[in-house]
Amino acid sequence: MQWNAEMYQNKHLFVAKYGEQLLEFVNREADQTILDLGCGTGALTRELAAGGARVIGLDSSESMVEKARENEPELEFYVGDAAALPWEDRFDTIFSNAVFHWIPDQRKLIRSVKKALKKGGALVCEFGAAGNIQAIQEAFSAEMKARGMVYHSPFFFPETGEYRRLLEEEGMSVRRILEYDRPTPLSDGEKGLRNWVVQFFTEDLGRFSQEERERILRAMEEVLRSRLWNGDEWVADYRRIQAVAVKEQ
Ligand SMILES: C[S@@+](CC[C@H](N)C(=O)[O-])C[C@H]1O[C@@H](n2cnc3c(N)ncnc32)[C@H](O)[C@@H]1O
């Protein structure tokens, strides 16, 4: 999908903020080599580099990489696909926050990650778990249906059992895996939900005229208000999965 890096940076940087919790599983000392996979605008790439480790950021979106280079000119960023990494036995850690659910071929992704890791290296990742944004997707799907269309979720939101199996079948040893509810306040008050929908459902919304988009957004706000509006802000129904898995051989 097309990423609007400017909007991501201005409205959705809470995504990276939550990703900071994952940093505790990463050795960031100076002798480490780390890949920030799906680095977005580089906020966590900077954190990963703070301990002196050699860090590379990679993202499939040119606009994200452009923004990351602008934000962190001293760091190294590349445009590329996480499921087709060009490196072999290169990284001590591959870190990834809020990316894997966008990638349909998970086996290809895990193989690509495994190949790029050194022996003994670790994948440290977090992304959407089963049930993530269920209310938002249902409301969007209902709006599509009302217009004679079918919404196909582009996301991969697994349960822990399913993801553990995938990692193990691809030869990774799982050290930690868990899923949890993480109700997530959206910034910008009343506009929070529509900002989120415009950023993350951009392609589906792009099929409609400006007026029709406005009707969809208003209808979603109305339907979701009783569940996701707390009086001050929208709180998205996020559920996350966190995994640490090691390449033993
Ligand atoms: C929600 S953003 C998260 C960015 C960053 N990790 C953070 O925490 O702010 C998801 C990112 O995944 C990237 N992405 C999606 N599919 C990808 C792929 N196949 N390979 C590399 N990056 C991908 C997107 O371009 C986007 O920058």
Side-chain angles (χ1 to χ4, degrees), residues 3 8 15-16 38-40 44 59-61 64 80-82 97-99 102-103:
W3 284 85
Y8 184 77
V15 175
C39 59
L44 290 166
D59 201 286
S60 55
S61 155
M64 288 292 203
D81 180 6
N97 180 54
V99 178
W102 295 101
I103 301 177

Side-chain angles (χ1 to χ4, degrees), residues 26 29 38 45 67 87 89 129 191 196 205:
V26 180
E29 286 165 13
T45 326
K67 189 48 104 189
W87 298 285
D89 298 326
K191 290 195 192 138
W196 191 98
L205 273 182

Side-chain angles (χ1 to χ4, degrees), residues 163-191:
Y163 209 60
R164 172 189 285 280
R165 221 170 15 258
L166 260 176
L167 286 163
E168 288 176 349
E169 282 173 10
E170 293 304 329
M172 299 291 288
S173 296
V174 177
R175 293 288 159 82
R176 173 188 165 86
I177 190 155
L178 58 101
E179 57 186 287
Y180 64 102
D181 286 325
R182 198 195 73 198
T184 299
L186 304 178
S187 48
D188 221 4
E190 183 62 58
K191 290 195 192 138

Side-chain angles (χ1 to χ4, degrees), residues 2-242:
Q2 286 294 325
W3 284 85
N4 179 337
E6 199 65 40
M7 185 184 200
Y8 184 77
Q9 178 147 300
N10 291 334
K11 307 284 185 207
H12 300 126
L13 218 53
F14 67 82
V15 175
K17 208 73 214 130
Y18 280 103
E20 287 175 8
Q21 297 164 3
L22 261 192
L23 294 173
E24 72 171 281
F25 303 108
V26 180
N27 179 352
R28 292 181 277 155
E29 286 165 13
D31 61 345
Q32 299 291 300
T33 306
I34 302 172
L35 176 65
D36 184 6
L37 196 50
C39 59
T41 57
L44 290 166
T45 326
R46 178 185 55 234
E47 297 299 322
L48 287 162
R54 167 138 202 269
V55 184
I56 292 174
L58 178 133
D59 201 286
S60 55
S61 155
E62 281 181 24
S63 80
M64 288 292 203
V65 167
E66 201 177 303
K67 189 48 104 189
R69 287 181 179 143
E70 195 181 300
N71 290 341
E72 313 297 336
E74 72 292 357
L75 297 179
E76 221 177 306
F77 294 99
Y78 297 101
V79 176
D81 180 6
L85 295 173
W87 298 285
E88 212 164 311
D89 298 326
R90 174 75 181 274
F91 298 100
D92 296 293
T93 302
I94 295 185
F95 174 94
S96 185
N97 180 54
V99 178
F100 281 16
H101 48 241
W102 295 101
I103 301 177
D105 191 338
Q106 288 289 314
R107 285 194 188 274
K108 190 168 175 227
L109 169 64
I110 297 167
R111 278 178 210 149
S112 162
V113 164
K114 187 174 176 228
K115 178 165 93 49
L117 280 170
K118 290 180 188 166
K119 195 172 161 190
L123 165 69
V124 175
C125 63
E126 175 160 332
F127 57 100
N132 191 46
I133 58 162
Q134 191 164 326
I136 298 177
Q137 289 207 103
E138 279 170 10
F140 191 67
S141 175
E143 291 308 310
M144 294 295 104
K145 195 167 171 203
R147 289 161 180 81
M149 291 176 187
V150 179
Y151 167 66
H152 297 285
S153 170
F155 302 112
F156 170 73
F157 293 148
E159 289 172 358
T160 44
E162 179 188 359
Y163 209 60
R164 172 189 285 280
R165 221 170 15 258
L166 260 176
L167 286 163
E168 288 176 349
E169 282 173 10
E170 293 304 329
M172 299 291 288
S173 296
V174 177
R175 293 288 159 82
R176 173 188 165 86
I177 190 155
L178 58 101
E179 57 186 287
Y180 64 102
D181 286 325
R182 198 195 73 198
T184 299
L186 304 178
S187 48
D188 221 4
E190 183 62 58
K191 290 195 192 138
L193 180 68
R194 58 177 50 223
N195 289 342
W196 191 98
V197 174
V198 167
Q199 172 112 58
F200 296 108
F201 291 167
T202 184
E203 267 153 39
D204 287 295
L205 273 182
R207 300 192 237 158
F208 300 100
S209 67
Q210 188 59 41
E211 295 73 37
E212 200 57 18
R213 262 182 257 172
E214 185 53 36
R215 277 193 278 274
I216 293 170
L217 293 170
R218 262 201 247 119
M220 288 182 72
E221 285 168 343
E222 210 174 299
V223 168
L224 292 169
R225 191 167 293 276
S226 63
R227 287 174 71 181
L228 304 183
W229 175 255
N230 71 6
D232 294 317
E233 56 194 359
W234 291 97
V235 182
D237 53 337
Y238 276 28
R239 264 184 74 67
R240 308 312 267 184
I241 184 165
Q242 230 179 52

